[in-house]
């Protein structure tokens, strides 16, 4: 509990100032939910999902759609099933 001023090994620790920088999430994290909906829920191929994402203004191809879906699984702690 060093940040509350509790002792640690006989020494009193004082609270420290912590600075946090917030930034927008990476593009693949922003698209992860959308790719999941297209590929897993609507049962589209990566190529079909990429075409829809491209029409929505995203620079995505089927390979990046696959990587984004892997990222979705990583974010949610899921194991990605093998898919051709």
């Amino acid at each position: 509990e060093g940040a509350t001023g509790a002792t640690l090994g006989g020494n009193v620790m004082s609270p420290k100032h912590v600075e946090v920088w917030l930034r927008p999430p990476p593009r693949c994290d922003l698209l992860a939910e959308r790719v999941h909906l297209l590929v897993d829920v609507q049962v589209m191929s990566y190529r079909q999902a990429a075409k829809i994402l491209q029409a929505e203004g995203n620079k995505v191809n089927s390979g990046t759609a696959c990587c984004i879906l892997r990222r979705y699984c990583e974010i949610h702690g899921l194991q990605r099933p093998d898919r051709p």
Side-chain angles (χ1 to χ4, degrees), residues 1-14:
E1 266 192 275
T4 63
T7 61
L8 181 64
N11 296 327
V12 176
M13 297 180 67
S14 61

Side-chain angles (χ1 to χ4, degrees), residues 36-67:
H36 161 69
L37 291 173
L38 294 171
V39 174
D40 290 335
V41 176
Q42 296 181 17
V43 195
M44 293 184 182
S45 69
Y46 294 123
R47 186 170 291 167
Q48 291 169 322
K51 285 185 180 189
I52 289 173
L53 292 167
Q54 289 167 0
E56 295 172 355
N58 298 293
K59 293 183 179 181
V60 177
N61 61 34
S62 60
T64 53
C66 178
C67 291

Side-chain angles (χ1 to χ4, degrees), residues 12-26:
V12 176
M13 297 180 67
S14 61
K16 298 198 183 217
H17 175 76
V18 177
E19 187 172 330
V20 179
W21 291 49
L22 300 178
R23 62 178 178 81

